[in-house]
C-alpha cells in the first residue's frame, strides 16, 4: 500500500479517463512520519475497499455513531465501538453536530464518548471520519464566533480544532462537509427549488481552508456529504485548476427507498474511470424503516425507535409512500428466505458503486444482526432477488419523497 507521504507528494485523480496531476504539496514532518496502518482484519470475511483516490482501505461497513450521547450511554457506546472493531470494521463516522437530533445540551457528546474509547485503542488502527456543518442559521450550539454557520475558512478551522479536542486526537483521517454551503434539496426534498438559490462560499475558498489543515497535519483527506453532481464536479474542477486537495468521498443517503438521487447521474460522476469518488452510504436501512419495525406502530420495537421517540425526525419515512413500499420489499424478501435486514443491507452491499455502508445501532445485538447480514447473506444476491427488487422499484421510485 502506498504511504500517505507518497500519495500526497504525487496526487492523481481520474477524470474523463485521463490521469491528472496536481502540483506537488509538501506535508509537514508529522504528516510525513505517519503511515496509514489501518488494515484488513484477518479473522473476518468483511471486504475492504480503497476510498476514492485516498490511501485508506476501509471496511464495507462504517460504524455510524449519531446515537451516542442521546440514545446510548458512554458505556454502551464503548461496547458498540469495541464489538465493531473486534469484528473487522475499521472506520467510524461522527460529526460535530452529533448526537442526533441535535441540541445545545448534547452537542459534541458523541465525540467525547469516542474520544474516551480511543484512549485505549491504537490510533493508527482506527480510521476516523467526521463532518463540519454546512450552511445553517442555527449555530448557537456549535460555533462561538459565528451567527450563521458557513463553510468558510474561519468556521472550518474552528470546527476542526474543537473536534480534535473532543476526540482527543491530533488528526482526522477524513473530514467531510456535512451538507453544502449553498442551497440543495435535502431530507425528503427531491426537486431543486429554483427560487431558493443563495450566494455561497466559493468552492476554491473552501478547498484552500482544507489545504491549510492538511498542511498542518490535522486532516488527511476531505470529502462531501449530501452533495449533488454539480457540487462534486465544481470541487473536482477547482482542485485540478488550483492545485488544491481533491475530495475522495461522498456521503449520501442510499437505500432501497432512496436510490434516484445517486443513481441518476452521481453514479457516473463518481465512477472510478471518471472522478473516482467513493460512496459512503448513510441510512441503508432508511432510519430503521426497512427493518419492518415501524409497520406495527404498537410494537415495542416501534415505540423505542427513533422515528417515534423524536416526533418529526426522518418524517420522510413515515409521511410518504415509504411504508407501502417497505411492505412490498419485506414480503418479497420473505419469499426468498431473506429477513428485511438481510435484503436491505445485502442490496446496498452489492451495488457496484458502493464503497461502504454506514450502519448505526443502539445495541450490540442490533449491530450483530447488521454485521451478520453482510457476512451470511449470499454474495451477490441471486439474480431472481435483484429482478424482484427492480420490479418493486419500477412501481415505487424513491417513495420517501415528501
Amino acid at each position: 500500500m502506498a504511504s500517505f507521504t507518497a500519495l500526497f507528494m504525487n496526487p492523481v485523480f481520474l477524470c474523463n479517463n485521463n490521469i491528472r496531476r496536481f502540483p506537488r504539496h509538501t506535508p509537514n514532518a508529522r504528516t510525513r512520519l505517519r503511515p496509514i496502518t489501518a488494515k484488513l482484519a484477518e479473522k473476518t470475511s468483511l471486504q475492504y475497499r480503497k476510498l476514492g483516490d485516498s490511501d485508506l482501505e476501509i471496511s464495507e461497513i462504517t460504524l455510524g455513531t449519531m446515537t451516542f450521547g442521546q440514545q446510548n450511554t458512554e458505556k454502551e457506546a464503548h461496547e458498540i465501538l469495541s464489538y465493531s472493531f473486534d469484528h473487522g470494521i475499521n472506520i467510524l463516522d461522527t460529526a460535530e453536530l452529533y448526537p442526533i437530533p441535535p441540541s445545545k445540551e448534547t452537542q459534541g457528546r458523541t465525540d467525547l464518548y469516542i474520544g474516551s474509547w480511543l484512549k485505549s485503542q491504537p490510533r493508527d488502527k482506527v480510521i476516523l471520519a467526521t463532518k463540519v456543518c454546512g450552511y445553517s442559521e442555527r449555530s448557537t450550539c456549535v460555533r462561538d464566533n459565528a451567527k450563521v454557520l458557513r463553510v468558510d475558512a474561519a468556521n472550518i478551522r474552528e470546527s476542526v480544532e474543537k473536534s480534535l479536542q473532543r476526540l482527543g486526537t491530533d488528526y482526522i483521517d477524513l473530514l467531510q462537509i456535512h451538507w453544502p454551503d449553498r442551497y440543495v434539496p435535502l431530507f425528503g426534498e427531491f426537486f431543486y427549488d429554483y427560487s431558493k438559490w443563495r450566494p455561497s462560499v466559493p468552492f476554491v475558498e473552501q478547498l484552500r481552508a482544507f489545504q491549510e489543515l492538511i498542511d498542518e497535519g490535522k486532516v488527511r483527506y476531505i470529502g462531501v456529504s449530501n452533495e449533488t453532481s454539480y457540487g462534486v464536479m465544481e470541487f473536482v474542477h477547482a482542485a485540478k485548476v488550483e492545485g488544491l486537495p481533491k475530495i475522495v468521498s461522498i456521503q449520501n443517503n442510499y437505500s432501497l427507498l432512496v436510490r434516484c438521487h445517486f443513481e441518476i447521474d452521481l453514479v457516473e460522476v463518481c465512477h472510478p474511470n471518471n472522478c473516482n469518488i467513493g460512496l459512503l452510504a448513510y441510512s441503508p436501512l432508511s432510519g430503521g424503516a426497512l427493518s419492518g419495525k415501524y409497520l406495527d406502530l404498537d410494537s415495542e420495537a416501534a415505540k423505542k425507535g427513533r422515528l417515534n421517540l423524536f416526533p418529526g425526525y426522518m418524517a420522510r419515512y413515515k409521511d410518504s409512500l415509504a411504508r407501502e413500499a417497505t411492505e412490498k420489499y419485506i414480503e418479497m424478501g420473505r419469499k426468498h428466505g431473506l429477513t428485511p435486514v438481510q435484503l436491505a443491507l445485502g442490496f446496498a452491499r452489492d451495488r457496484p458503486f458502493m464503497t461502504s455502508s454506514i450502519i448505526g445501532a443502539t445495541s450490540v445485538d442490533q449491530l450483530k444482526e447488521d454485521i451478520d447480514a453482510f457476512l451470511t447473506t449470499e454474495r451477490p444476491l441471486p439474480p431472481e432477488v435483484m429482478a424482484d427488487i427492480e420490479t418493486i422499484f419500477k412501481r415505487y421510485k424513491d417513495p420517501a419523497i415528501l
Side-chain angles (χ1 to χ4, degrees):
M1 183 186 299
S3 69
F4 173 65
T5 303
L7 177 83
F8 224 80
M9 292 297 287
N10 190 26
V12 302
F13 73 93
L14 296 171
C15 202
N16 297 328
N17 297 313
N18 294 314
I19 294 179
R20 311 290 180 109
R21 299 181 184 273
F22 297 144
R24 294 170 180 263
H25 301 290
T26 304
N28 66 7
R30 180 171 61 180
T31 304
R32 288 198 300 270
L33 295 174
R34 187 188 299 123
I36 292 175
T37 58
K39 297 179 180 178
L40 317 189
E42 296 179 356
K43 62 179 181 180
T44 179
S45 56
L46 281 178
Q47 292 188 3
Y48 298 77
R49 299 155 185 161
K50 180 172 278 193
L51 182 61
D53 292 332
S54 79
D55 204 24
L56 300 173
E57 291 278 346
I58 70 171
S59 50
E60 61 184 334
I61 299 176
T62 296
L63 179 66
T65 63
M66 72 178 186
T67 62
F68 296 177
Q70 176 72 39
Q71 293 174 262
N72 289 110
T73 65
E74 186 171 21
K75 180 177 181 294
E76 290 169 341
H78 288 188
E79 290 172 350
I80 291 169
L81 284 161
S82 294
Y83 187 92
S84 298
F85 280 78
D86 287 346
H87 288 80
I89 295 173
N90 69 355
I91 176 172
L92 62 87
D93 178 76
T94 182
E96 63 174 342
L97 195 63
Y98 289 174
I100 298 295
S103 72
K104 185 176 182 178
E105 292 70 32
T106 62
Q107 185 269 325
R109 197 178 289 170
T110 299
D111 283 354
L112 293 174
Y113 289 4
I114 293 170
S116 59
W117 176 79
L118 277 174
K119 290 178 181 178
S120 63
Q121 307 299 318
R123 176 64 183 88
D124 61 357
K125 301 298 183 183
V126 179
I127 296 174
L128 182 58
T130 189
K131 298 182 284 294
V132 52
C133 287
Y135 179 96
S136 175
E137 294 179 352
R138 296 179 295 174
S139 62
T140 55
C141 68
V142 180
R143 299 276 186 277
D144 292 332
N145 304 310
K147 293 181 179 179
V148 177
L149 291 183
R150 302 304 301 271
V151 191
D152 57 22
N155 273 277
I156 291 172
R157 179 166 290 278
E158 182 181 348
S159 171
V160 168
E161 297 290 358
K162 287 183 175 180
S163 292
L164 291 173
Q165 184 178 15
R166 288 191 301 268
L167 291 163
T169 185
D170 63 350
Y171 68 96
I172 293 163
D173 295 287
L174 177 65
L175 179 64
Q176 305 151 98
I177 301 172
H178 208 153
W179 56 87
D181 186 78
R182 65 192 192 282
Y183 160 73
V184 294
L186 289 174
F187 311 130
E189 290 184 273
F190 187 80
F191 297 104
Y192 184 90
D193 187 337
Y194 189 86
S195 69
K196 290 184 179 180
W197 183 95
R198 62 171 179 258
S200 59
V201 178
F203 293 94
V204 169
E205 183 178 335
Q206 296 177 56
L207 291 178
R208 284 176 179 153
F210 291 126
Q211 177 69 76
E212 290 183 6
L213 293 163
I214 290 172
D215 289 343
E216 293 170 14
K218 295 176 179 177
V219 173
R220 286 182 171 179
Y221 298 102
I222 57 172
V224 292
S225 181
N226 296 302
E227 191 50 276
T228 68
S229 296
Y230 167 75
V232 171
M233 291 305 300
E234 285 292 323
F235 274 116
V236 169
H237 178 71
K240 179 183 69 172
V241 171
E242 301 292 334
L244 293 167
K246 173 181 174 276
I247 58 173
V248 301
S249 64
I250 180 169
Q251 183 179 143
N252 273 29
N253 197 353
Y254 187 83
S255 70
L256 283 170
L257 301 179
V258 182
R259 293 177 54 177
C260 294
H261 254 313
F262 193 83
E263 289 193 50
I264 287 174
D265 53 16
L266 267 167
V267 67
E268 178 185 14
V269 171
C270 297
H271 195 286
N273 290 330
N274 292 326
C275 293
N276 197 22
I277 310 292
L279 172 62
L280 306 174
Y282 73 80
S283 290
L285 284 172
S286 298
L290 282 168
S291 72
K293 66 182 179 182
Y294 295 109
L295 295 183
D296 179 3
L297 296 178
D298 293 324
S299 69
E300 196 64 26
K303 291 176 180 178
K304 292 181 179 179
R306 281 174 288 170
L307 272 62
N308 287 329
L309 287 177
F310 310 113
Y313 176 67
M314 289 190 175
R316 59 191 180 277
Y317 298 124
K318 294 177 67 177
D319 304 331
S320 66
L321 288 175
R323 177 186 174 89
E324 186 177 323
T326 297
E327 291 176 337
K328 298 296 183 184
Y329 282 119
I330 290 175
E331 180 183 343
M332 182 272 288
R334 189 180 299 118
K335 181 182 74 173
H336 293 286
L338 295 169
T339 69
V341 171
Q342 288 174 330
L343 178 67
L345 295 185
F347 169 78
R349 177 198 66 188
D350 293 346
R351 306 306 281 164
F353 45 78
M354 187 67 65
T355 303
S356 186
S357 298
I358 302 175
I359 304 296
T362 55
S363 70
V364 170
D365 287 343
Q366 193 179 65
L367 178 62
K368 182 180 185 300
E369 180 184 7
D370 293 343
I371 295 175
D372 287 350
F374 273 77
L375 302 182
T376 63
T377 306
E378 184 175 351
R379 186 194 296 263
L381 290 176
E384 57 270 24
V385 175
M386 293 305 300
D388 283 352
I389 286 175
E390 292 306 309
T391 297
I392 296 174
F393 174 67
K394 288 175 182 177
R395 183 176 177 186
Y396 298 96
K397 288 184 173 69
D398 278 25
I401 297 171
L402 292 173

